[in-house]
Amino acid sequence: MTKIIKIDPLNIDMDLLSQAADVIKHGGLVAFPTETVYGLGADTFNAEAVANIFRAKGRPMDNPLISHIADISEIERFAREIPDSAIKLANEFWGGPLTIILKKKNGIPDAVTAGLDTVAVRLPSHSVANALIKLSGTPIAAPSANLSGSPSPTTAQHCIADLTGRVDMIIDGGNSMIGIESTVVDLSGEVPVVLRPGGITPEDMRSVIGEVIYSGEIEGAPRCPGMKYTHYSPEAQVIVLEDIASFEKYRENGKKTCVIAKNAPKLNPSADIVYDVGADDREYAARLFYLLRKADEDGADVVFAELPENHGIGIALYNRLYKSAGGRVILK
Ligand code: AMP
Ligand code: MG
């Protein structure tokens, strides 16, 4: 049985949220809202509970989780070495969409780190996530709260669709504002390396710690363990177009066609379904996963999605779109 509770992020009912914390304390699984996407959480230090996350999602065991903390000082429970850069980035960008990879301390269950010598830590900004971590009295290990391979969940309804009957509780705390997963930066080596682009950009980090490498993992081998798996895919085929107005050229008879574009009303496309993603890439990111799921609900066979800008959050957005599209990108 999966219990669903509704919590207002602006007026948290602590008694109700304590029920979710009790589930975590007793080794259960709770889907909870964060500012990036919804997470599927368990007590980081309960190896059995963490193993159940993988079962519930159908997630490969070699794809590690992020431990969510509620106070910067908790980083010490995870890392055997804490470089200055970690403190600087944490002070600047936590709570927020930045996951930091550090050399791990002994005692963290192997399931959390997929047996790696490093560990991923993040302090979210979402009020419900923070309150849940505090009430649980333990860091919460969580990947995204979707079935492995499907688009990440940005609403409780997405979690309900994927995980009902598979987890103990789902907290409905409204929409995830950022809409794509956190930036992952590896600080365990000589030079900081961005392993997964997200809401905090390499430029944002360079202004705080200097050199940061981001080579883009699309061309080469995946550097982030989870990055090698098919991700974010709806049932419909996704095609990314630089010139979204040209979608008619690629349209096939008899296929229900969906267009996802910025300023879509201006474009006046003749597709069967048109989703407007607002004016800029930030709004686009906030709506992407929601719309990929909606395209399936609306019966689309093919989704043409506009190529985002090649800077800022556009880079993270492109990374997710590229994976959703299985590499089908058509440039001008
Ligand atoms: P998810 O939030 O579902 O994308 O899952 C967490 C992601 O964090 C994984 O897919 C990895 O990409 C990343 N991650 C977690 N731990 C590590 C680590 N030790 N080294 C590199 N990446 C990690
Ligand atoms: Mg995920």
Side-chain angles (χ1 to χ4, degrees):
M1 254 287 285
T2 301
K3 185 166 181 185
I4 297 160
I5 62 171
K6 210 173 165 68
I7 303 275
D8 178 355
L10 299 176
N11 183 20
I12 295 177
D13 178 339
M14 288 296 182
D15 286 339
L16 188 54
L17 192 59
S18 299
Q19 291 184 18
D22 284 341
V23 173
I24 297 282
K25 285 181 197 168
H26 291 106
L29 303 187
V30 177
F32 63 100
T34 85
E35 70 279 16
T36 57
V37 301
Y38 272 68
L40 178 59
D43 177 353
T44 290
F45 293 103
N46 183 333
E48 213 171 298
V50 171
N52 285 334
I53 293 178
F54 289 83
R55 259 177 236 129
K57 279 181 58 91
R59 182 178 175 98
M61 292 299 289
D62 64 350
N63 192 358
L65 310 183
I66 296 168
S67 288
H68 296 74
I69 59 177
D71 190 284
I72 289 187
S73 63
E74 287 175 82
I75 214 175
E76 284 164 25
R77 295 178 70 180
F78 290 89
R80 61 175 190 270
E81 266 171 49
I82 305 175
D84 284 350
S85 55
I87 302 299
K88 285 184 183 153
L89 289 178
N91 281 331
E92 186 70 25
F93 299 114
W94 282 0
L98 180 68
T99 296
I100 294 177
I101 307 288
L102 297 163
K103 288 180 185 156
K104 79 163 192 186
K105 247 187 184 163
N106 289 337
I108 301 162
D110 271 346
V112 173
T113 61
L116 296 171
D117 190 36
T118 53
V119 64
V121 188
R122 179 167 98 86
L123 195 158
S125 67
H126 198 289
S127 61
V128 175
N130 289 339
L132 177 65
I133 299 163
K134 281 185 192 141
L135 287 173
S136 301
T138 181
I140 295 181
S144 51
N146 52 323
L147 286 176
S148 209
S150 73
S152 294
T154 56
T155 69
Q157 282 65 41
H158 297 158
C159 304
I160 292 167
D162 279 17
L163 298 176
T164 298
R166 295 170 166 264
V167 305
D168 299 292
M169 194 178 269
I170 295 170
I171 302 174
D172 182 350
N175 295 350
S176 291
M177 303 307 286
I178 294 174
I180 54 176
E181 305 81 354
S182 58
T183 302
V184 176
V185 64
D186 185 353
L187 301 181
S188 70
E190 295 275 298
V191 183
V193 182
V194 174
L195 303 181
R196 174 173 79 180
I200 306 293
T201 65
E203 301 88 81
D204 293 334
M205 288 186 274
R206 281 183 198 121
S207 68
V208 179
I209 56 168
E211 189 180 6
V212 174
I213 295 174
Y214 174 57
S215 49
E217 67 285 280
I218 288 166
E219 315 300 336
R223 309 200 49 160
C224 227
M227 287 301 211
K228 69 172 183 269
Y229 297 107
T230 318
H231 265 73
Y232 322 122
S233 303
E235 297 290 323
Q237 185 181 54
V238 179
I239 299 172
V240 180
L241 286 183
E242 184 172 17
D243 178 13
I244 190 69
S246 72
F247 80 92
E248 291 282 4
K249 269 201 284 190
Y250 308 101
R251 194 174 187 171
E252 285 176 55
N253 278 340
K255 290 204 171 169
K256 195 165 179 180
T257 302
C258 169
V259 162
I260 297 182
K262 287 182 276 189
N263 300 312
K266 267 198 207 154
L267 193 67
N268 194 20
S270 58
D272 301 304
I273 309 165
V274 178
Y275 300 139
D276 179 31
V277 282
D280 58 36
D281 285 339
R282 224 156 255 287
E283 285 181 55
Y284 192 171
R287 304 204 65 203
L288 175 69
F289 288 138
Y290 175 85
L291 292 177
L292 290 179
R293 282 177 182 256
K294 188 159 163 44
D296 280 345
E297 283 165 27
D298 292 347
D301 297 305
V302 182
V303 175
F304 293 102
E306 182 173 4
L307 183 81
E309 312 263 319
N310 191 20
H311 59 82
I313 198 161
I315 290 169
L317 190 51
Y318 177 66
N319 170 275
R320 307 310 190 273
L321 277 166
Y322 184 93
K323 287 173 196 288
S324 305
R328 285 180 294 269
V329 178
I330 301 175
L331 301 176
K332 271 183 193 165

